[in-house]
Amino acid sequence: MKSSEVRQGFIDYFKRNGHAHVPSSSLIPHDDPTLLFTNAGMNQFKNLFLGLEQRDYKRAVTSQKCVRAGGKHNDLENVGFTARHHTFFEMLGNFSFGDYFKKDAIHFAWELLTKDFGIPKEKLYVTVFRTDDEAADIWHKQEGLPKDRIFRFDEKDNFWRMGDVGPCGPCSEIFYDHGPLAGKESDPFKGIAAGEDRFVEIWNLVFMQYEEKAPGVLEPLPKPSVDTGGGLERMVAALQGRFNNYNTDLFTTIIQSATSRLGWDLEEMIQGEIALKKDPSLTKVIGRPTKQFIEDLAALRVLADHARSTSFLIADGALPANEGRGYVLRRILRRAIRYGRKLSEQHSFMPLMAEALIQQMSSVYPELTSRRDQILSTIKDEETRFLQTLDQGTGILNDELTKAKSKGVKNLSGEVVFKLYDTYGFPVDLTQLMAQEQGVSVDLESFETHMDGARAKSKASWKGKGMQGDEKHLISFAQNSFDKNGTTAFKGYDSLSGDGKIVALSDGAQEVQSLTAGSQGLIILDQTPFYAEGGGQVGDQGTLTTADGAKVQVHDTTKKSDVHLHHIEVLSGTLKVGEKVIATVNDSERRKTISNHSATHLMHAALRKVLGTHVTQAGSVVEPSRLRFDFTHNKPMTPEEILEVERLVNEQIGLGIDVSVKHMSHKDAIASGAMALFGEKYGDEVRVLRMGDFSCELCGGTHVKNTSQIRVFKIISEGGISSGVRRIEAITGEGAVSWLMERAAESLRAQTAAGTKDVDQWIESKKSEIRSLEKEIKKILGNNIPVDQIASQALKFKTKSGLEGQAVFVELDLDDRDVLMDVSIKIKDKLQPGLVVLVGKGDGSHPIVVSVSKEIASDIKAGDLLKEIAASMGGKGGGRPDFAQGAAPDRSKLEDARKIFVQKIGS
């Protein structure tokens, strides 16, 4: 069976058995700070299992995109070197939310595998939890599996937990026997226990029948559930008769895109691997030394796997960065680039393999097609950036490894590892890998110390937006309210004022029944006109009042578990749970905010028209005073592009287009042309915001009723914030009018000062005059240096090669590097061959120039001498063998520098 048939066959089987087909969720988890990436099929159903959410189905089937490349679940180091580890994989799963349990779950799995997929029963073994007699009996009595093919394992292998507390239960795993060629152990129990490649788990059935109230304290759940997961890659390997996942059609098409470029035959390599399995003593495989063959095959598999994970991550909105998810993506990409370099220095493989993946899987995952340009441009851009430093960093690493080994040291210092990370972009695991290849380990503890220091410096200049109460309390406070009162009804689309009942209060540390004047805390209402921060839009501010005269200032509004949290200060009176309030949003601030939010939608559409459809939102902030919009684009916008975006947006504002809102299913919304933002979570019903034919997006935020209410739009800055991501800041409404009037006044003042309306031309003429004067000054300064006199004082010396030369070390009261460079060349030309060291004098930092005749530059390199001299004075610098420059702060160390100069020439 083809992999596409296996995936669809799995889904179709469960649909026939009453399961709703739920599409894969994004790899970027929503509302779950505990997860780096989606790593299991059950992630998107977590709230269903916890009883926090209800849906219109009790049975579901999915093929879920998963990534395991960071945090607790991290398969990165094994990828390419084992038969079944991947950073990206698809998890096939069927789920029961309080509906069927063990009998049906086991029957479904056995029937699908042995009847629909036709796997011989004698190829399968199952495991159960040691005390789960019920599951063992069902396997034996219901499905007829012999008892000697049912093995019992302990908690470590066959008991599943969601966390320290919460739903948990025993599990039953199904293993496939790949035969003796795949592994040495013939005893299935021992092979399964050892994790051998012969006996591979292809499906895990989790029976959630308990709630763990505290560690070790289990209580039966009233409605037990089922969560199953089977790796598509492993299942396909079994059905295609391949003992290695990488030899299935999920990977071979991708790998062939690289082997074709290299002129290699992939099927020949697969047969060579099989021959090596049969006879591990082979010294050559398909004409190559065995070690080289293994390394080449592993590199191809690393590239194929990493092309899959990076493409899917970028498609779901992740971008390379130096922290968080973006850093994991960067690690994967750079690891792949390095393996590609090992295969060939002439060819680039990742874009090629990503293209093959997109063609292969876009029919199942259309986001690969819609984000194709972004995927390929991000990969190419990251490859270009890393290759610029890879060779230099590799040279430094090899030098350090050579030094370490020459001293008998088998541990690379954390300082070097941090330098490679900080300066050359080497992820620490890549440095580890390259060091291990030469038998050297890495001092990770020291590296982390350096990292902590860097983080501390970064945090010292950052001041975040504070919230009343710690995050843990906010979550529990909102959750308790949700459990008792449900969600907060938001009334703020249609009204900025309305009544509400206080359903919960907090002082920021604990839930309370009342808050008095002077107190700060949190309030939850049954309904509110206050918009809670979300989708980039800031939370509303305003006031609350009661019939008893209490007055409350609302400083911010946020949301947890669909419950609005009003961050408040009680100005007067007392608030009590159960009391009625009048809630009033700050009208002026809301109007400014909605103007900026609607302008953001218009600008997004305009950017896609001007720059291309690869542009997608990568982040946004919508405040009363401004809007900030991050978007995917690989180069700075030109002034003409910025002007065109402004023109398009202001054109739509001037047309006075009504803004319409419709509610529809997510599927219908996308079909109607609405744009969904990557990284956002959408429910079954979505809110579609349309501005004529120009912009149509899914959005839960607040907006103007007509585009004319925005008044005017102006971009005030555009720049890069990370690889492949640009940032625009813009203003609208009264703020934009004031900004434009101020600039107009400035322009008038400039015209008056310049005496002309053409200020630009006047400035250019003045700049030209200044450049001419600077040249004259430098010429005068240079001519005032007694070059002949300095040359006459030169010291004679002999180089290592026996060449005679002359050298001078001179202090000058100059801080202009251009003048110093020109003077050094003039003096050097008088000496021939010559060595000239000039130390200038500046404010705080003193320039240093070293110039060496090319005839002797192989014996005395200017760059090396400059580094030593500058270091002796507390500075640094570098350059070519014949010329180098730098600077140093401590001129009192001139004599130390002079001694280094004298030692170099041996005088």
Side-chain angles (χ1 to χ4, degrees):
M1 295 176 73
K2 293 179 180 178
S3 57
S4 58
E5 294 171 337
V6 178
R7 184 193 298 108
Q8 194 58 48
F10 185 96
I11 293 167
D12 289 345
Y13 172 83
F14 283 101
K15 284 172 71 177
R16 289 197 304 272
N17 284 280
H19 291 65
H21 176 212
V22 181
S24 171
S25 64
S26 169
L27 285 169
I28 311 301
H30 307 293
D31 300 332
D32 192 345
T34 65
L35 281 178
L36 190 65
F37 299 113
T38 299
N39 58 24
M42 64 79 60
N43 289 163
Q44 68 168 311
F45 303 115
K46 184 175 177 180
N47 284 344
L48 278 173
F49 287 122
L50 290 170
L52 303 178
E53 185 182 346
Q54 297 295 323
R55 299 188 189 178
D56 58 2
Y57 52 80
K58 291 188 176 181
R59 300 181 176 196
V61 58
T62 64
S63 178
Q64 174 64 49
K65 301 175 293 187
C66 298
V67 163
R68 291 184 181 174
K72 179 182 174 183
H73 299 287
N74 184 4
D75 292 338
L76 187 61
E77 297 310 314
N78 295 316
V79 169
F81 298 94
T82 70
R84 59 183 189 270
H85 282 101
H86 309 288
T87 55
F88 172 87
F89 62 96
E90 292 177 80
M91 183 75 84
L92 303 173
N94 59 290
F95 306 87
S96 165
F97 310 108
D99 187 23
Y100 63 82
F101 200 46
K102 292 181 185 179
K103 283 188 176 183
D104 285 335
I106 289 172
H107 175 70
F108 289 150
W110 193 248
E111 182 177 65
L112 176 60
L113 291 177
T114 60
K115 291 185 180 179
D116 287 50
F117 286 167
I119 296 177
K121 295 178 180 179
E122 59 271 19
K123 280 280 192 179
L124 299 173
Y125 297 88
V126 302
T127 65
V128 297
F129 182 50
R130 56 183 166 76
T131 62
D132 194 357
D133 296 332
E134 181 187 6
D137 285 346
I138 294 170
W139 278 115
H140 176 59
K141 294 176 181 178
Q142 176 179 288
E143 305 304 332
L145 192 65
K147 288 186 177 181
D148 62 0
R149 304 181 81 82
I150 304 170
F151 305 121
R152 293 176 185 255
F153 282 90
D154 288 331
E155 198 168 309
K156 175 178 174 290
D157 298 296
N158 278 79
F159 197 92
W160 181 90
R161 287 179 169 84
M162 187 178 285
D164 293 335
V165 294
C168 61
C171 61
S172 180
E173 297 175 326
I174 304 171
F175 287 79
Y176 179 84
D177 180 2
H178 278 280
L181 195 60
K184 297 176 183 178
E185 183 56 67
S186 58
D187 183 306
F189 179 80
K190 292 180 180 177
I192 290 170
E196 262 231 336
D197 283 343
R198 173 171 176 171
F199 303 96
V200 175
E201 175 209 328
I202 60 171
W203 207 339
N204 184 15
L205 317 179
V206 177
F207 308 122
M208 281 191 256
Q209 62 188 87
Y210 302 110
E211 181 176 2
E212 193 156 18
K213 295 289 188 179
V217 181
L218 304 179
E219 289 187 9
L221 288 170
K223 290 186 177 181
S225 297
V226 172
D227 158 24
T228 86
L232 175 66
E233 293 75 12
R234 297 184 181 193
M235 212 171 281
V236 170
L239 290 166
Q240 292 185 358
R242 300 285 200 175
F243 61 78
N244 191 303
N245 294 357
Y246 291 96
N247 295 341
T248 67
D249 67 351
L250 283 165
F251 292 91
T252 52
T253 302
I254 302 169
I255 295 173
Q256 280 169 344
S257 67
T259 55
S260 298
R261 178 69 60 88
L262 291 164
W264 298 351
D265 186 325
L266 177 57
E267 188 55 39
E268 184 183 33
M269 295 183 77
I270 292 172
Q271 294 306 315
E273 182 184 34
I274 293 171
L276 187 60
K277 279 274 188 183
K278 291 177 179 177
D279 183 5
S281 67
L282 290 175
T283 58
K284 283 194 171 184
V285 181
I286 58 171
R288 279 181 242 182
T290 299
K291 185 174 181 291
Q292 185 63 50
F293 171 80
I294 293 171
E295 288 177 355
D296 289 346
L297 195 55
L300 287 167
R301 289 169 173 172
V302 168
L303 282 160
D305 172 89
H306 291 8
R308 281 161 48 100
S309 56
T310 55
S311 297
F312 274 102
L313 282 169
I314 296 167
D316 278 352
L319 288 168
N322 287 329
E323 59 184 12
R325 295 180 179 116
Y327 182 57
V328 176
L329 173 59
R330 173 160 282 165
R331 286 169 57 203
I332 297 171
L333 262 170
R334 294 194 168 186
R335 188 171 187 264
I337 293 164
R338 196 256 173 172
Y339 271 103
R341 209 59 178 317
K342 291 184 75 173
L343 287 176
S344 170
E345 292 190 2
Q346 286 75 45
H347 300 303
S348 171
F349 298 106
M350 280 294 282
L352 199 69
M353 297 174 96
E355 184 72 82
L357 167 76
I358 292 168
Q359 291 178 7
Q360 178 187 9
M361 298 188 74
S362 58
S363 61
V364 182
Y365 299 106
E367 63 268 28
L368 290 171
T369 299
S370 62
R371 297 274 285 179
R372 175 187 174 277
D373 291 348
Q374 181 64 24
I375 292 167
L376 297 178
S377 62
T378 300
I379 289 173
K380 288 173 183 175
D381 185 55
E382 188 69 12
E383 186 171 58
T384 300
R385 287 169 180 265
F386 188 43
L387 288 177
Q388 289 171 353
T389 59
L390 177 60
D391 292 338
Q392 191 176 2
T394 300
I396 290 171
L397 176 58
N398 288 335
D399 287 345
E400 293 294 337
L401 291 172
T402 301
K403 287 179 191 175
K405 288 191 288 187
S406 68
K407 296 175 182 176
V409 177
K410 291 289 185 180
N411 199 21
L412 189 66
S413 77
E415 183 180 3
V416 172
V417 179
F418 178 75
K419 179 182 178 183
L420 288 166
Y421 162 81
D422 193 46
T423 307
Y424 299 100
F426 274 48
V428 64
D429 49 355
L430 178 58
T431 301
Q432 271 185 293
L433 175 68
M434 296 170 74
Q436 286 167 2
E437 289 173 352
Q438 298 192 41
V440 177
S441 61
V442 165
D443 186 349
L444 290 177
E445 188 175 338
S446 174
F447 168 76
E448 285 300 330
T449 300
H450 283 84
M451 281 295 293
D452 288 342
R455 291 187 192 107
K457 287 180 183 177
S458 176
K459 286 180 181 179
S461 61
W462 180 85
K463 186 176 181 181
K465 179 183 178 183
M467 297 175 68
Q468 292 118 326
D470 62 68
E471 186 71 12
K472 198 169 183 180
H473 171 63
L474 293 179
I475 293 170
S476 64
F477 177 55
Q479 189 60 57
N480 288 339
S481 178
F482 175 85
D483 292 341
K484 295 175 185 175
N485 311 296
T487 61
T488 306
F490 176 58
K491 302 295 184 179
Y493 288 131
D494 304 312
S495 174
L496 297 183
S497 183
D499 61 6
K501 185 175 78 171
I502 301 173
V503 297
L505 288 169
S506 165
D507 63 6
Q510 61 185 352
E511 193 165 344
V512 295
Q513 291 301 304
S514 64
L515 287 173
T516 57
S519 301
Q520 291 187 342
L522 303 158
I523 183 171
I524 299 173
L525 304 175
D526 62 343
Q527 60 183 22
T528 182
F530 283 78
Y531 180 81
E533 181 178 357
Q537 182 177 330
V538 297
D540 279 333
Q541 299 178 352
T543 60
L544 304 175
T545 57
T546 70
D548 292 338
K551 189 171 183 180
V552 175
Q553 185 71 44
V554 178
H555 293 293
D556 193 10
T557 312
T558 60
K559 186 162 62 174
K560 300 284 182 187
S561 302
D562 287 329
V563 173
H564 285 53
L565 302 176
H566 304 78
H567 300 250
I568 64 163
E569 179 182 358
V570 183
L571 302 179
S572 62
T574 300
L575 291 178
K576 297 175 184 178
V577 172
E579 199 170 18
K580 290 268 188 178
V581 298
I582 299 297
T584 306
V585 175
N586 185 313
D587 176 64
S588 173
E589 295 296 281
R590 169 73 87 82
R591 277 190 288 104
K592 293 174 185 175
T593 300
I594 64 175
S595 174
N596 285 332
H597 199 164
S598 297
T600 300
H601 282 230
L602 291 174
M603 182 178 67
H604 190 186
L607 285 167
R608 289 171 64 85
K609 292 181 189 300
V610 174
L611 303 179
T613 56
H614 65 278
V615 169
T616 54
Q617 180 174 320
S620 73
V621 174
V622 179
E623 299 174 331
S625 61
R626 54 137 195 184
L627 66 91
R628 192 183 76 199
F629 188 76
D630 300 339
F631 60 99
T632 54
H633 191 55
N634 282 312
K635 58 185 177 182
M637 291 178 68
T638 65
E640 292 76 20
E641 288 169 339
I642 292 173
L643 282 172
E644 179 61 10
V645 169
E646 289 180 330
R647 186 192 70 77
L648 286 171
V649 173
N650 282 302
E651 181 180 59
Q652 297 303 307
I653 293 170
L655 289 171
I657 299 166
D658 286 336
V659 177
S660 67
V661 175
K662 286 186 179 180
H663 291 84
M664 60 183 76
S665 71
H666 184 270
K667 184 178 179 181
D668 289 344
I670 300 303
S672 73
M675 179 181 289
L677 302 183
F678 292 96
E680 289 293 321
K681 181 182 179 181
Y682 299 105
D684 295 331
E685 185 178 85
V686 294
R687 186 170 181 263
V688 180
L689 191 95
R690 183 180 291 276
M691 301 181 192
D693 296 327
F694 193 79
S695 170
C696 183
E697 290 189 22
L698 308 187
C699 184
T702 57
H703 288 270
V704 297
K705 301 296 183 185
N706 185 286
T707 58
S708 63
Q709 292 174 283
I710 300 170
R711 292 184 64 190
V712 67
F713 168 82
K714 183 74 184 84
I715 293 173
I716 55 174
S717 69
E718 190 276 341
I721 58 169
S722 64
S723 174
V725 181
R726 309 293 299 175
R727 172 172 289 173
I728 281 176
E729 293 201 11
I731 50 179
T732 67
E734 189 61 38
V737 171
S738 298
W739 190 92
L740 290 168
M741 290 177 69
E742 286 172 11
R743 296 306 169 282
E746 285 177 5
S747 178
L748 287 173
R749 288 195 294 271
Q751 290 175 28
T752 301
T756 177
K757 288 185 177 181
D758 197 343
V759 177
D760 287 346
Q761 186 177 350
W762 182 84
I763 291 172
E764 287 303 318
S765 69
K766 292 302 175 186
K767 283 164 69 175
S768 179
E769 286 179 28
I770 291 168
R771 284 193 292 269
S772 297
L773 291 170
E774 285 176 342
K775 285 180 182 178
E776 286 297 317
I777 292 168
K778 288 178 180 181
K779 188 176 179 181
I780 293 168
L781 289 172
N783 290 338
N784 285 340
I785 303 298
V787 173
D788 291 334
Q789 182 182 339
I790 292 171
S792 69
Q793 297 170 0
L795 301 173
K796 293 183 178 181
F797 70 99
K798 273 193 176 183
T799 68
K800 294 176 184 176
S801 303
L803 293 173
E804 291 188 353
Q806 294 175 289
V808 293
F809 183 105
V810 183
E811 305 165 40
L812 296 172
D813 284 340
L814 286 172
D815 66 353
D816 191 306
R817 288 178 186 240
D818 291 337
V819 175
L820 288 172
M821 179 176 67
D822 186 52
V823 170
S824 72
I825 292 170
K826 286 180 180 177
I827 297 172
K828 181 185 68 178
D829 290 343
K830 296 283 184 183
L831 303 178
Q832 284 302 332
L835 162 62
V836 179
V837 177
L838 299 182
V839 180
K841 188 175 183 180
D843 294 328
S845 181
H846 312 292
I848 306 170
V849 168
V850 177
S851 188
V852 180
S853 298
K854 289 186 178 179
E855 302 96 301
I856 59 173
S858 58
D859 289 329
I860 301 179
K861 293 183 173 63
D864 293 345
L865 179 57
L866 186 283
K867 284 178 184 176
E868 289 188 52
I869 288 173
S872 72
M873 298 171 63
K876 58 184 179 180
R880 307 186 306 268
D882 63 327
F883 181 80
Q885 58 183 327
D890 193 352
R891 217 164 184 267
S892 68
K893 302 288 186 181
L894 269 171
E895 285 310 307
D896 293 339
R898 193 186 299 275
K899 287 176 184 176
I900 291 169
F901 162 76
V902 172
Q903 288 170 1
K904 278 289 179 184
I905 64 174
S907 296

